[in-house]
Amino acid sequence: TEEGCAHVPAATAADIDRAVAAAREAFDTGPWPTLPLAERLGSGNHIVALDRNRASLERLSGEARRLGLDGVRSIVADAGHPSLKATFDAVLVDAPCSGLGTLRRHPELKWRRQPEDIPRLATVQRHVLSGVAPLVRAGGILVYAVCTRTHEETTGVVAWLLATRSICASRSLTSYGRM
């Protein structure tokens, strides 16, 4: 592990599990992946969930209380400008995307998505990553997850991140998992 360097693996459920298993404090732009993450973190650890939708975070907080997950904190903010001073062992980005990797389960996306959606969503993904990448603690991990296979939203965004930030890749940046 290089000092002062975040690691950017291609995300799978196993990657996320490994990232969280080692984390004492995590940050999630979900917010809905937050609850399973909080359960994996266990007591004494903390996860901060961020979303622009207050109602969504209120539902999340209610569910966390119901499940007895006391380490969940929520913040209403734009992930591109999170206005946090803290850093985290793990930062998980479940980025908004075209969803084109889920066509088998969601064939209607063929008709709902337009060609101009891809570059627009890639811009949103870069915005989110530019806001949250500085929140990764030295030696921490940044997990970037999308459910698409377009180059512009996957390796294109990661290549942009690596070119514009002081981040090193811990392994090859290819797609993993079933979509």
Side-chain angles (χ1 to χ4, degrees):
T1 304
E2 293 180 46
E3 189 61 32
C5 191
H7 297 278
V8 187
T12 67
D15 290 325
I16 294 169
D17 283 343
R18 279 191 296 277
V20 171
R24 301 255 326 128
E25 297 179 317
F27 178 83
D28 187 16
T29 64
W32 287 107
T34 301
L35 294 176
L37 292 173
E39 288 176 319
R40 285 186 208 116
L41 279 172
S43 63
N45 296 325
H46 303 282
I47 186 163
V48 175
L50 180 134
D51 197 282
R52 294 188 309 192
N53 185 324
R54 182 177 303 279
S56 182
L57 289 173
E58 287 171 357
R59 285 192 307 275
L60 173 77
S61 295
E63 281 297 302
R65 277 191 304 278
R66 186 182 70 76
L67 295 169
L69 301 171
D70 57 357
V72 177
R73 187 172 138 225
S74 60
I75 298 173
V76 177
D78 175 357
H81 305 286
S83 67
L84 291 172
K85 303 285 185 234
T87 58
F88 301 87
D89 300 320
V91 172
L92 297 101
V93 178
D94 184 8
C97 70
S98 64
L100 294 175
T102 65
L103 285 175
R104 186 176 296 155
R105 285 179 293 172
H106 301 285
E108 73 280 2
L109 287 174
K110 283 190 229 179
W111 296 278
R112 286 188 20 216
R113 287 290 174 221
Q114 301 299 314
E116 60 271 14
D117 290 344
I118 307 304
R120 179 183 57 77
L121 287 162
T123 298
V124 170
Q125 294 155 2
R126 288 190 300 272
H127 172 73
V128 169
L129 286 172
S130 69
V132 301
L135 302 179
V136 180
R137 190 170 287 148
I141 184 166
L142 172 61
V143 177
Y144 170 67
V146 289
C147 56
T148 188
R149 293 179 183 233
T150 66
H151 170 78
E152 202 163 353
E153 294 178 89
T154 57
T155 53
V157 171
V158 173
W160 168 86
L161 181 67
L162 295 174
T164 60
R165 302 279 185 234
S166 295
I167 294 177
C168 64
S170 63
R171 62 177 220 220
S172 75
L173 302 169
T174 57
S175 296
Y176 293 95
R178 268 186 13 194
M179 299 207 194

